[in-house]
Amino acid sequence: MASLDDGELLDASSDQTTPPGPGPELELPEDPAEAVPVLLAALTVTQAEAAGYLEATQRVAAEFDNFRKRSARERDEIIDRASQRVIERLLPTLDSFAAALAYQPQTDAEENLLSGIADTHRLLMEALAVDGFAAIDANGVPFDPAVHEAVTGPTGEGEGEPIVREMRRGYTLRGRVVRAALVAVEHA
């Protein structure tokens, strides 16, 4: 580099000009040996500024990533609460299906009607299962106070006692109990 002229660096091997880098204009001494320490000092300052900008950019990127994750969690929680409200509104309908399916048909027409009701119930349960909705198993399993509510027999300390009858179906949504199953527990 030959000289510094009006803020441009001149390349000795060609007549092309290169614009100066960011920052204040440098006043270089005529002697190249004296210019090296000035350039090294400017380089050190520029590197420190670049490191500061990099750190700030990384901090902003990390804060944005945390914001994105927090927003996704909050969105999922809102969706879960909305889904649970819809499910809670459907519980009486599911109870009506259970009552209809418990009916013992007397005629072929009743058998056909009950078959249609069973198919509709199955389709509804399959559609809800896609979003994590499931019935709580209560027939022939030990009493679990986390998912069962005993209406006869032990009412809290009977964990592990056999359930003799399900009185109302319970349900979970994504592993959380929406409604506990009402059960009769065998007396010990």
Side-chain angles (χ1 to χ4, degrees):
M1 300 201 201
S3 66
L4 188 64
D5 182 36
D6 294 332
E8 296 180 339
L9 296 176
L10 297 179
D11 189 348
S13 63
S14 72
D15 290 335
Q16 297 177 336
T17 60
T18 306
E25 296 294 325
L26 287 177
E27 301 251 350
L28 293 178
E30 292 289 326
D31 182 15
E34 292 175 5
V36 169
V38 172
L39 289 172
L40 288 176
L43 178 63
T44 302
V45 169
T46 303
Q47 285 177 329
E49 287 176 0
Y53 292 140
L54 176 62
E55 182 182 320
T57 301
Q58 289 172 334
R59 186 173 41 253
V60 168
E63 288 173 1
F64 178 74
D65 192 44
N66 290 338
F67 168 77
R68 185 183 51 77
K69 289 176 183 175
R70 185 176 58 249
S71 295
R73 266 193 320 270
E74 290 171 356
R75 182 192 68 235
D76 290 345
E77 288 172 8
I78 289 169
I79 290 169
D80 284 350
R81 284 193 302 268
S83 297
Q84 185 163 342
R85 281 195 308 266
V86 169
I87 293 297
E88 287 170 351
R89 289 185 196 127
L90 284 175
L91 290 177
T93 303
L94 295 173
D95 291 340
S96 294
F97 271 115
L101 294 172
Y103 177 76
Q104 296 300 319
Q106 306 298 318
T107 66
D108 287 340
E110 289 177 350
E111 182 71 36
N112 290 337
L113 181 61
L114 191 57
S115 175
I117 291 172
D119 288 342
T120 303
H121 180 256
R122 180 184 51 77
L123 289 171
L124 176 61
M125 292 303 290
E126 287 173 0
L128 294 173
V130 170
D131 290 321
F133 183 73
I136 295 172
D137 192 18
N139 291 316
V141 298
F143 178 75
D144 179 359
V147 294
H148 301 124
E149 183 178 336
V151 292
T152 64
T155 56
E157 298 299 322
E159 187 169 351
E161 295 292 328
I163 294 173
V164 294
R165 186 172 61 135
E166 178 183 63
M167 303 167 101
R168 184 186 70 198
R169 175 78 29 128
Y171 299 97
T172 61
L173 181 62
R174 294 181 194 93
R176 289 185 293 162
V177 175
V178 175
R179 178 176 77 184
L182 284 179
V183 297
V185 180
E186 186 175 279
H187 294 284

